[in-house]
Amino acid sequence: MSDLIRSTAAELAARIASREVSAVEVTQAHLDRIGEVDGAVNAFLHVDTEGALKAAREVDDDIAAGAHVGPLAGVPIALKDVLTTEGVPTTVGSKILEGWVPPYDATVTRRLKEAGVVILGKTNMDEFAMGSSTENSAYGPTRNPWDLDRIPGGSGGGSAAALAAFEAPLSIGTDTGGSIRQPGAVTGTVGVKPTYGGVSRYGLVAFSSSLDQAGPCARTVLDAALLHEVIAGYDPMDSTSINAPVPPVVAAAREGANGDLSGVRVGVVTQFSGEGYQPGVLRSFEAAVAQLKQLGAEIVEVSCPSFDYALPAYYLIAPSEASSNLARFDAMRYGIRVGDDSTRSAEEVMSLTREAGFGPEVKRRIMIGTYALSSGYYDAYYGSAQKVRTLISRDFEAAFATVDVLVSPTTPTTAFRIGERTGDPLAMYKADLCTIPANLAGNAAMSLPSGLSDEDGLPVGLQLMAPALQDHRMYRVAAAYEVARDAAAGAPLIQGVPQLAGAAR
Amino acid sequence: MPSISRDEVAHLARLARLAVTDDELDLFAGQLDVILQSVATVGDIATADIPPTSHAVPLTNVFREDVVRPSLGQQQALAGAPAAEDGRFRVPRILGEEA
């Protein structure tokens, strides 16, 4: 296996900037890797070979001309197919947008291009980001590189699997209820949900607007931080974008790597353990907490009682917003159109198109949202869920009055088998149990590998949560933990991914 | 909590403009019932004195300067349309036969 595809983004950027290796060589190595293994993994829905090589050549030309380039210039990235890319297909994992070529770039896409980050292609996802396994994609499931019979998490399973399969050193995900963090956990990678409003939603195909947040995915904490600073920042094109400086996440990751957490107060959320949690996941989590203590952190238990109600609140709020947002897929302005035989009415064509274009989970959520927003049910369902949202924010406020960061397992189990939960929506929803509170309150959260579960040898994620706009706090703790864990284990966890069949050496 | 019937699911599908099949109605009626019963637990702690939160960032009336900015051209806007005619979106008839 080429050392280029095993390198971190930080290393690649340094080698490209010093002209030790060209951006074109790095890009080609990753395109070759995708060609070798993506038949088995299915992380990509679209590979933009020409666009990627052209972008890489431009970076090489700039460097040759002595131009100042950004800290990730020339480094390849995989972009979740929920962000628009001008001239490159964007499907959101749905049949309803099959073949759609957006006429504009999302702000995240634009910022990546301006920073010289090379976009390799678009990654697979649960349709409209609704799911926890990527099995809801209309284009077939993505497989977990640790075990191809298992799910890579969701909705951003493609973005996480691309990292674990060494198809890209960086990727972008979006996190509405855990869609960055849970895939990160089950693939042994790092995934960050920035503070809501920290990264622009312009050009992010909306699922649940008050919760959706794009963020960085990588194989190391520092790489995630470098990517975070490229994509974050105020954007007048998103009215919920926060007009404040980007938290100093790169500096925090470098500081944390020194390994001293003296004076840092870490709260263990007591609600996230017990029934439904895989014992090996809990053991890995407890070992991680012990490691944080060894690094000098003060550990306290924190109770957040309303977190028990986060899952039901989320599965009312997100479908309610989705039922409204997805009304735009009406077969008139973009996407497919079904049954337009010049006798049927617009309404009939709309209903036939949505029936053919949406998969079962999207239909379920649209109908649940329609129900929850109906007069007569609104107060009991949507109204109550909004009140729970208030209680969850209050629990976070109370917790952060006494601790700097909160920790929990990222998700209750390791990667489950493909097909295991598809017939039981509620079982699928439980994968989001620990990640949802941070979406409802809007604060920052991330997942990073804490090791392998001792009963099945699959990756486990440690979740860190920080107050809004204090994203740097969790990066500092994460970087310190990463160094200590890797030193104790003898190597980064990601090096344990099995060699994928058919892959060249 | 009342359980949700097959007819109610059919009604929701109509409201949501989803031409669902009979098989789907059977499947969804059971599933939506289970999901709605489960999420109804939010009522357990949502007492009258708690204000609702619609949004994590408290923002009101975000304004911008009223200035002309570049936007999509007609061709770009129509490029993704399922049908276009004379520089416009072509849509099926919007009135019913008996209207």
Side-chain angles (χ1 to χ4, degrees), chain B residues 46-85:
Chain B
T47 51
D49 58 318
I50 305 163
T53 297
S54 64
H55 213 275
V57 182
L59 290 171
T60 46
N61 296 340
V62 177
F63 293 109
R64 67 167 173 87
E65 292 303 309
D66 185 15
V67 292
V68 177
R69 294 187 303 196
S71 62
L72 296 182
Q74 187 188 52
Q75 251 188 335
Q76 283 178 301
L78 291 171
E85 201 175 296

Side-chain angles (χ1 to χ4, degrees), chain A residues 86 100-101 103-104 196-197 201 209-210 234 236-237 239-242 306 309 311-313 315-317 321 331-337 340 342-352 354-355 358 360 363-368 370-372 374 377 380-391 393-394 422-426 429 439-442, chain B residues 1-5 8-22 24-25 27-29 31-64 69-73 75-84 88-97:
Chain A
E86 185 177 352
W100 183 56
V101 180
Y104 71 107
Y196 179 86
R201 289 185 297 109
S209 305
S210 81
Y234 175 64
M237 297 299 277
S239 63
T240 59
S241 170
I242 297 174
S306 66
Y309 294 86
L311 191 77
Y315 279 99
L316 284 163
I317 289 169
E321 293 188 15
M332 303 301 147
R333 294 156 297 165
Y334 33 69
I336 61 168
R337 178 181 288 182
D340 184 10
S342 80
T343 68
R344 290 196 178 97
S345 70
E347 194 176 310
E348 287 169 307
V349 168
M350 204 180 291
S351 300
L352 288 168
R354 288 162 64 83
E355 167 64 12
F358 291 143
K363 289 177 192 170
R364 274 193 290 272
R365 294 207 196 181
I366 288 174
M367 287 192 285
I368 287 169
T370 305
Y371 183 84
S374 305
Y377 298 108
Y381 287 94
Y382 186 66
S384 294
Q386 286 187 309
K387 290 180 175 183
V388 171
R389 197 169 180 179
T390 303
L391 294 175
S393 294
R394 288 179 183 171
T422 41
D424 184 352
L426 275 185
Y429 295 173
N439 296 93
L440 291 173
Chain B
M1 274 299 152
S3 63
I4 184 164
S5 69
E8 282 175 291
V9 175
H11 178 62
L12 287 176
R14 269 195 304 279
L15 289 175
R17 305 289 183 269
L18 293 166
V20 293
T21 63
D22 284 347
E24 280 180 309
L25 279 181
L27 177 72
F28 290 152
Q31 289 177 334
L32 294 194
D33 197 45
V34 171
I35 295 167
L36 286 168
Q37 303 247 9
S38 167
V39 296
T41 54
V42 290
D44 296 353
I45 59 167
T47 51
D49 58 318
I50 305 163
T53 297
S54 64
H55 213 275
V57 182
L59 290 171
T60 46
N61 296 340
V62 177
F63 293 109
R64 67 167 173 87
R69 294 187 303 196
S71 62
L72 296 182
Q75 251 188 335
Q76 283 178 301
L78 291 171
R88 295 166 198 171
F89 295 101
R90 190 187 69 71
V91 301
R93 66 182 171 79
I94 57 167
L95 298 175
E97 296 289 4

Side-chain angles (χ1 to χ4, degrees), chain A residues 79-85 90 106 108-109 122 172 174 203-204 214:
Chain A
L79 192 55
K80 190 177 181 184
D81 205 29
V82 68
L83 289 152
T84 60
T85 39
T90 301
V108 168
T109 308
K122 308 297 288 290
I172 296 287
T174 59
L204 193 175

Side-chain angles (χ1 to χ4, degrees), chain A residues 17-56:
Chain A
S18 68
R19 301 181 71 185
E20 185 192 326
V21 63
S22 72
V24 167
E25 285 172 83
V26 171
T27 299
Q28 190 60 55
H30 287 90
L31 290 169
D32 290 348
R33 175 69 174 175
I34 292 168
E36 285 159 13
V37 303
D38 209 53
V41 177
N42 196 31
F44 284 86
L45 293 177
H46 181 85
V47 180
D48 183 21
T49 304
E50 277 178 35
L53 289 170
K54 180 169 174 283

Side-chain angles (χ1 to χ4, degrees), chain A residues 401-489:
Chain A
T402 58
V403 300
D404 298 305
V405 294
L406 290 169
V407 294
S408 77
T410 305
T411 181
T413 69
T414 55
F416 42 92
R417 288 187 190 282
I418 289 174
E420 196 177 313
R421 298 190 189 181
T422 41
D424 184 352
L426 275 185
M428 187 70 86
Y429 295 173
K430 284 183 180 150
D432 304 336
L433 203 59
C434 315
T435 44
I436 281 172
N439 296 93
L440 291 173
N443 53 307
M446 72 187 287
S447 177
L448 79 162
S450 64
L452 301 176
S453 176
D454 52 22
E455 72 260 279
D456 57 17
L458 291 166
V460 178
L462 169 67
Q463 179 176 229
L464 300 171
M465 294 169 273
L469 291 177
Q470 298 295 310
D471 305 43
H472 47 293
R473 279 194 206 171
M474 60 185 189
Y475 275 98
R476 180 184 163 200
V477 176
Y481 172 71
E482 180 183 55
V483 169
R485 199 217 70 85
D486 290 358

Side-chain angles (χ1 to χ4, degrees), chain A residues 215-295:
Chain A
C217 310
R219 291 191 293 257
T220 70
V221 173
L222 177 62
D223 282 0
L226 290 164
L227 181 55
H228 190 134
E229 290 198 359
V230 167
I231 61 172
Y234 175 64
D235 178 18
M237 297 299 277
D238 172 4
S239 63
T240 59
S241 170
I242 297 174
N243 195 352
V246 176
V249 295
V250 172
R254 293 196 197 279
E255 183 197 348
N258 295 329
D260 182 15
L261 291 181
S262 313
V264 177
R265 292 161 301 169
V266 173
V268 175
V269 182
T270 55
Q271 275 70 26
F272 293 147
S273 68
E275 202 192 330
Y277 287 78
Q278 191 176 318
V281 168
L282 291 178
R283 283 192 288 270
S284 179
F285 173 67
E286 283 154 16
V289 172
Q291 187 90 66
L292 292 172
K293 194 173 179 183
Q294 249 180 26
L295 289 166

